Amino acid sequence: MFFIIGLVVVFGAVIGGYLMEGGSIPTLLHPLPAEGLIIFGAGVGAFLAANPMNVIKRVAADVMKPLKGSPYTKAVYMEVLMMQYEVYVNIKKGGLLALEQDVNDPHNSAIFKKYETFTHNHHALDFFCDSMKLLINGSAKMDEIDMVMDAELDVHHAENAAPGAAMGALADAFPAFGIVACVMGVVITMGFLDQPPNIIGGKVGAALVGTFLGILLAYGVFQPLAKNIDAVNAVEAYYFNCIRSGLTSFGNGAAPITAVEFARRNIPSTERPGSGELEEVVRQIKPR
């Protein structure tokens, strides 16, 4: 919502100031189709040339995120804390092998099926279950499992940063392509030097619209879009660190309630459940 409000303010301020100075909207709009084709066409072409297909797909998937906002709400964090507590308390009662079938087939697990937002997040589900398999199988020590999780998170965060970086690079290119459009307009104007001043002035003004459009799109639209995508994707790191902290704490011998408290401390303060609130909820969860 605030992204849309911001765009309205940007365009309202620019167009409003232009009109206050006596500018004419038709004069501004007349060269826009040609100038827009040059700037957008060159920008899209450069974007396609600069990025591999996997990044292009990620940008296409992430471009609407500023309108939707972060999916990681307080309720989502509470759910992942409850999920972790139920897993840990069942291990405490029945041993590690009691959860072997659950982590091997989480979509048919009676435990995991209770927590829909977690199971629908396939990255988080795989991250947790693959790490639990190492713990259950005894194939790695806890510090080794923590190192594996840390390495996986580094890869995941780098992938999450790629769409915002690609969009930011596109935004940085728009002013240059605006200058290209302007120079081409000046070249065209050179062929009209024998015309009256008002004709030449109109051609020069049309050329300058290219510079205006490139700068406006860069710093008024695409740069804020890139920053917003980065901010939304960065929030996911807290969710994964919440899972990692809880699992490593439990694997190092912490009680289930202590492990989820460690996990809770990794949640941003704006979405973090209170300690008493969490304890009240998880105390209602009984091992099977």
Side-chain angles (χ1 to χ4, degrees):
M1 176 60 72
F2 281 102
F3 180 72
I4 296 296
I5 293 173
L7 292 185
V8 171
V9 171
V10 167
F11 281 91
V14 171
I15 300 301
Y18 173 74
L19 293 175
M20 288 173 64
E21 289 294 326
S24 169
I25 293 295
T27 301
L28 192 63
L29 294 179
H30 177 69
L32 277 184
E35 303 281 358
L37 176 61
I38 294 170
I39 296 169
F40 271 109
V44 170
F47 175 80
L48 294 176
N51 296 289
M53 182 55 67
N54 65 308
V55 174
I56 294 171
K57 290 180 178 178
R58 286 293 303 271
V59 171
D62 288 2
V63 73
M64 297 303 293
K65 283 186 175 181
L67 300 179
K68 300 176 182 178
S70 172
Y72 297 104
T73 62
K74 182 178 179 179
V76 171
Y77 280 114
M78 179 63 86
E79 181 180 287
V80 79
L81 293 173
M82 294 168 62
M83 179 279 299
Q84 289 188 75
Y85 180 82
E86 184 161 359
V87 167
Y88 304 151
V89 80
N90 274 283
I91 290 176
K92 206 70 174 177
K93 177 185 177 182
L96 287 169
L97 293 180
L99 266 290
E100 184 177 23
Q101 185 58 37
D102 295 273
V103 299
N104 284 332
D105 188 13
H107 292 288
N108 291 316
S109 164
I111 292 177
F112 292 124
K113 285 196 294 187
K114 298 177 185 178
Y115 308 104
E116 293 185 0
T117 60
F118 173 71
T119 53
H120 289 163
N121 187 334
H122 69 276
H123 286 136
L125 182 64
D126 290 344
F127 176 69
F128 182 74
C129 289
D130 288 347
S131 302
M132 284 297 302
K133 288 175 188 176
L134 294 174
L135 182 63
I136 290 171
N137 295 336
S139 55
K141 298 177 181 178
M142 197 59 235
D143 59 341
E144 295 173 328
I145 297 173
D146 188 41
M147 290 174 59
V148 169
M149 288 191 290
D150 186 44
E152 183 175 347
L153 288 183
D154 285 343
V155 173
H156 185 65
H157 299 338
E159 290 176 342
N160 267 358
M167 187 65 70
L170 175 60
D172 290 340
F174 275 130
F177 289 129
I179 294 173
V180 170
C182 180
V183 170
M184 295 178 72
V186 172
V187 170
I188 293 172
T189 303
M190 292 298 101
F192 290 84
L193 291 181
D194 59 341
Q195 299 297 312
N198 62 319
I199 299 297
I200 298 175
K203 293 294 183 180
V204 172
L208 290 174
V209 168
T211 303
F212 156 76
L213 183 61
I215 295 173
L216 179 62
L217 289 176
Y219 300 111
V221 179
F222 284 88
Q223 198 63 258
L225 178 61
K227 292 292 186 181
N228 205 310
I229 289 173
D230 271 340
V232 173
N233 284 341
V235 171
E236 192 169 55
Y238 294 111
Y239 187 76
F240 278 83
N241 280 321
C242 170
I243 295 172
R244 174 191 173 189
S245 179
L247 197 156
T248 55
S249 299
F250 180 75
N252 283 321
I257 190 63
T258 304
V260 294
E261 175 60 20
F262 272 89
R264 187 186 73 86
R265 298 294 182 92
N266 282 268
I267 299 172
S269 59
T270 54
E271 308 296 340
R272 184 190 303 156
S275 178
E277 181 182 4
L278 172 63
E279 187 169 348
E280 181 180 348
V281 170
V282 299
R283 290 299 185 190
Q284 300 174 16
I285 298 174
K286 305 298 181 185
R288 58 191 178 188

